[in-house]
Amino acid sequence: MAPLQGTDTSEFLKSIVTEFNVDVKNLDYRMSFPKIIEYFSPTQFTGITNLAFDCFREPRSLLAMVHPNAPTLQSLRMLDIWTDCFQAMLYNDNKPVVYPCLKSMYLRFTAECFDQTDHSVVHFPMLNNLTLLSNNLVYSKALFNNTGSLEHLKLALEPGILAEVNPHKVFSQKQFGNLQSLIFNIDLRGQTVNVTGFINPILGLPQALRRLEFSGRVSEDNFLSTLMAHPHSVYAKIQELTLGSVELDISETISILQKMPYLTKFVLSVKNLQPELNGTTDANVAVDYIKRNFNPINRYIAKLNITNSHYTDIPKYDAMFVALLIVGCPRLGYASVRRFSNNRFTLALLDLADTEAFAAYKHQIDLVIRNHTIVI
């Protein structure tokens, strides 16, 4: 059955709801007022596997649906809810509630949630995918007290969390040993906050990271150097990296590609400068330097997404940047820039392909140009 959409509190809808005796597995409730859910009997819908709520402020109404389905829930999405709703999920009449099948949870709160109480009970033993976003300070140890099942984590980093939460006491090998995807959604709200102090303990854990992403703006001058100070083992298996707001030069990019030897996709910003390598901007000298010193830079990188191209002369800088990487990256076959720079970027690559410095790489440059017109 298709998800049931709660959109009206009329008598007509009430009559429909009270007649439901079907085997509903998916319930999607999106509404600003919780009254409609009072028409549901707690025993009317049991065995639900996928449950979504939007804009809830009253725990009693929501929990009438959540608690009876705790044994079967596999996916739970709660948007714009108040803190009490989440706290009440964890206990029923002071008895802990366990969600043994819940694998995916997406939470966004509208009010402050800050709970560092030690939870001896593992409420979400099978939690595999957790997204925790908010417009306010949100944090609860119960979300991270799992048995190592968590593989995908998207976490909002805001000034309150960065200032109050001690990551050394929260993140441990037990819970994060199998983490494969880690996304930090950074919103500093114009404040100067130590982001790396929070992130480093997480990256320092032995883990199986395949994807690492930093979205939002990072203002720390030492962010990149601190990030790269971790040993190679931390990044040995990463295949996708996003550093959207950290502007890199060609040397820094090469260092990252070497430190992450299995990287296949890289989303980055580049500095608004003519690429300079080993003290020169001369293309022939730079190409020769790459050929002599890197064999190769990276064997697996296939896609580059440059996110910060400007209206000025930078498309030709972007083209040189990509062309130099092609020399040391034999599988690089796709590169994108911001839409307004697309045509000039392609033309600049065409010009480079006809130069002496890049003549040996014309076929690979042509491949990048062809793929540039395809959405990948």
Side-chain angles (χ1 to χ4, degrees):
M1 179 179 177
L4 177 65
Q5 301 286 337
T7 58
D8 195 359
T9 56
S10 66
E11 288 299 316
F12 173 71
L13 186 55
K14 179 179 179 180
S15 66
I16 294 177
V17 169
T18 54
E19 292 298 322
F20 260 97
N21 290 303
V22 294
D23 187 20
V24 174
K25 296 299 181 185
N26 304 291
L27 181 60
D28 189 343
Y29 181 86
R30 302 183 183 185
M31 182 177 173
S32 298
F33 303 99
K35 293 296 183 182
I36 186 175
I37 207 165
E38 295 180 2
Y39 302 145
F40 294 121
S41 165
T43 60
Q44 188 174 7
F45 295 122
T46 56
I48 290 177
T49 57
N50 301 291
L51 189 57
F53 286 97
D54 185 1
C55 200
F56 254 88
R57 296 169 173 80
E58 187 180 343
R60 180 176 58 85
S61 301
L62 181 145
L63 297 175
M65 296 300 300
V66 175
H67 282 163
N69 291 286
T72 57
L73 275 178
Q74 297 178 20
S75 174
L76 179 61
R77 180 181 177 94
M78 298 195 297
L79 303 182
D80 299 330
I81 61 171
W82 282 17
T83 304
D84 290 347
C85 291
F86 175 73
Q87 302 291 0
M89 278 180 55
L90 306 179
Y91 294 92
N92 187 10
D93 293 331
N94 295 321
K95 296 179 180 179
V97 178
V98 176
Y99 299 79
C101 300
L102 190 64
K103 296 181 179 179
S104 177
M105 187 155 53
Y106 187 111
L107 303 175
R108 189 177 70 202
F109 294 82
T110 59
E112 181 176 295
C113 172
F114 193 75
D115 171 28
Q116 294 202 71
T117 304
D118 286 326
H119 293 273
S120 58
V121 176
V122 179
H123 296 275
F124 311 107
M126 297 299 293
L127 190 61
N128 175 271
N129 191 326
L130 173 62
T131 296
L132 182 59
L133 304 177
S134 74
N135 296 318
N136 293 280
L137 177 59
V138 174
Y139 174 76
S140 175
K141 274 190 175 181
L143 291 169
F144 302 102
N145 186 19
N146 60 78
T147 57
S149 60
L150 199 62
E151 294 184 358
H152 308 280
L153 174 63
K154 184 174 184 178
L155 184 63
L157 294 186
E158 300 170 355
I161 292 178
L162 293 170
E164 299 294 336
V165 176
N166 184 344
H168 294 279
K169 294 182 178 180
V170 176
F171 303 102
S172 71
Q173 172 63 16
K174 178 183 177 182
Q175 291 122 332
F176 291 85
N178 295 312
L179 197 64
Q180 295 185 20
S181 175
L182 181 57
I183 301 173
F184 293 105
N185 187 26
I186 301 170
D187 181 8
L188 302 183
R189 303 175 185 177
Q191 300 183 33
T192 301
V193 184
N194 181 11
V195 175
T196 53
F198 187 94
I199 293 171
N200 280 338
I202 306 175
L203 293 180
L205 296 172
Q207 50 201 336
L209 274 182
R210 300 293 192 276
R211 179 186 181 191
L212 179 60
E213 178 176 331
F214 297 91
S215 62
R217 180 158 295 279
V218 180
S219 57
E220 290 179 57
D221 293 336
N222 65 338
F223 177 81
L224 182 62
S225 60
T226 304
L227 198 66
M228 298 310 294
H230 289 283
H232 282 74
S233 58
V234 172
Y235 306 114
K237 297 180 180 180
I238 289 183
Q239 298 174 4
E240 296 186 23
L241 176 66
T242 296
L243 293 177
S245 70
V246 183
E247 293 191 350
L248 306 175
D249 60 30
I250 187 71
S251 297
E252 292 167 334
T253 304
I254 289 174
S255 295
I256 292 173
L257 291 174
Q258 288 188 294
K259 191 138 192 175
M260 303 182 187
Y262 293 101
L263 199 65
T264 61
K265 181 180 179 180
F266 192 6
V267 180
L268 72 160
S269 297
V270 299
K271 293 180 178 178
N272 188 12
L273 299 169
Q274 174 76 14
E276 180 179 312
L277 194 58
N278 196 35
T280 181
T281 58
D282 183 277
N284 288 285
V285 177
V287 168
D288 183 63
Y289 175 79
I290 293 174
K291 290 163 64 176
R292 286 187 292 105
N293 291 276
F294 306 102
N295 186 30
I297 294 173
N298 186 296
R299 295 182 185 278
Y300 296 97
I301 187 70
K303 298 180 183 179
L304 287 179
N305 293 79
I306 299 173
T307 63
N308 70 327
S309 296
H310 302 282
Y311 286 101
T312 57
D313 291 333
I314 200 165
K316 70 180 182 183
Y317 295 166
D318 289 342
M320 179 63 74
F321 189 96
V322 171
L324 288 174
L325 292 180
I326 283 175
V327 174
C329 301
R331 294 192 181 183
L332 183 56
Y334 176 85
S336 69
V337 296
R338 292 284 294 273
R339 183 176 299 175
F340 58 73
S341 300
N342 277 348
N343 292 336
R344 289 184 292 159
F345 171 73
T346 301
L347 291 173
L349 273 178
L350 281 170
D351 289 341
L352 288 175
D354 291 331
T355 64
E356 178 184 356
F358 297 102
Y361 306 94
K362 181 176 175 59
H363 175 76
Q364 194 174 346
I365 292 175
D366 287 343
L367 177 63
V368 170
I369 292 172
R370 290 199 303 272
N371 287 338
H372 186 68
T373 61
I374 304 172
V375 177
I376 297 181

